[in-house]
Amino acid sequence: MPQDYDIVSDFTQDYNRAYMLLNTYYAEAYRDVGFYLGNQWSLDQMRYLNEERRNSFTFNKVRKIVNMVSGYQKAHASSSIVLPFETGNEETAEQLSELLRHVMQPKGYRVISQAFLASLCSGVAWVSPWVDYRKDYVNGQISFHLDNWNDVIWDPFSTRMDLEDCTFVARRKYLRKDVIKS
């Protein structure tokens, strides 16, 4: 059984390696999000314009295109369905599809659209499912949360979209006191 010190040292080693390899991505993602938000001037350019008492106008063409693609996704988003395997039961797949629609209905599809927009801006966004016990203490309610690109650090050698080959994913999040209690 591994000791606590071994777990912490392994995590620290993985975190440092991943941060070193993902550092160039973080710099580009920060710049890309800045362009989407209209911050397209460098500090030197801003200083130069301020010294000459000139305004820095930005005609943000990036936001227009990103919003168009995101809007298309929102307008044409389909509901999630479950398909049966080779000789699977169609009735079971329909029941699971209905359950999935029920779970996704309150906020799931909205969070997926927000994640799509965030991934257009920064390249990656993370949707975290979790069980919320604040209203129903016994069963809970399945909820979804969008983790931004700078809230998560992951194994940079992972290649699969379902993270099956990912050795670690670490995220940071500031939580309110009532959420921690739940």
Side-chain angles (χ1 to χ4, degrees), residues 70 73-74 109-119 125 146:
S70 175
Q73 183 271 338
K74 286 179 188 176
Y109 293 120
R110 190 171 348 133
V111 171
I112 287 176
S113 293
Q114 291 171 348
F116 185 79
L117 173 64
S119 66
L146 172 64

Side-chain angles (χ1 to χ4, degrees), residues 18-148:
Y19 189 77
M20 182 181 66
L21 293 172
L22 292 172
N23 203 15
T24 54
Y25 162 73
Y26 286 139
E28 284 298 318
Y30 182 78
R31 187 168 176 240
D32 292 344
V33 170
F35 263 70
Y36 174 75
L37 295 175
N39 186 13
Q40 300 176 6
W41 297 90
S42 69
L43 292 176
D44 293 334
Q45 291 170 338
M46 291 292 290
R47 190 177 316 113
Y48 172 75
L49 290 173
N50 285 336
E51 287 172 0
E52 295 208 357
R53 296 178 184 241
R54 292 171 37 194
N55 293 328
S56 57
F57 293 114
T58 302
F59 298 101
N60 198 343
K61 295 181 180 181
V62 174
R63 182 182 292 171
K64 178 181 173 184
I65 294 170
V66 169
N67 286 343
M68 181 186 65
V69 174
S70 175
Y72 184 85
Q73 183 271 338
K74 286 179 188 176
H76 294 85
S78 302
S79 63
S80 302
I81 59 169
V82 176
L83 298 174
F85 281 103
E86 298 168 357
T87 58
N89 190 353
E90 290 279 339
E91 186 177 327
T92 305
E94 288 177 17
Q95 290 174 349
L96 289 173
S97 295
E98 198 59 39
L99 285 172
L100 185 60
R101 277 190 221 105
H102 176 71
V103 167
M104 295 291 288
Q105 197 58 39
K107 280 179 51 178
Y109 293 120
R110 190 171 348 133
V111 171
I112 287 176
S113 293
Q114 291 171 348
F116 185 79
L117 173 64
S119 66
L120 286 174
C121 295
S122 65
V124 69
W126 302 85
V127 176
S128 303
W130 60 289
V131 181
D132 185 8
Y133 291 104
R134 289 179 286 184
K135 294 179 182 169
D136 185 358
Y137 296 112
V138 178
N139 298 321
Q141 180 182 7
I142 298 175
S143 297
F144 300 92
H145 183 267
L146 172 64
D147 292 321
N148 292 317

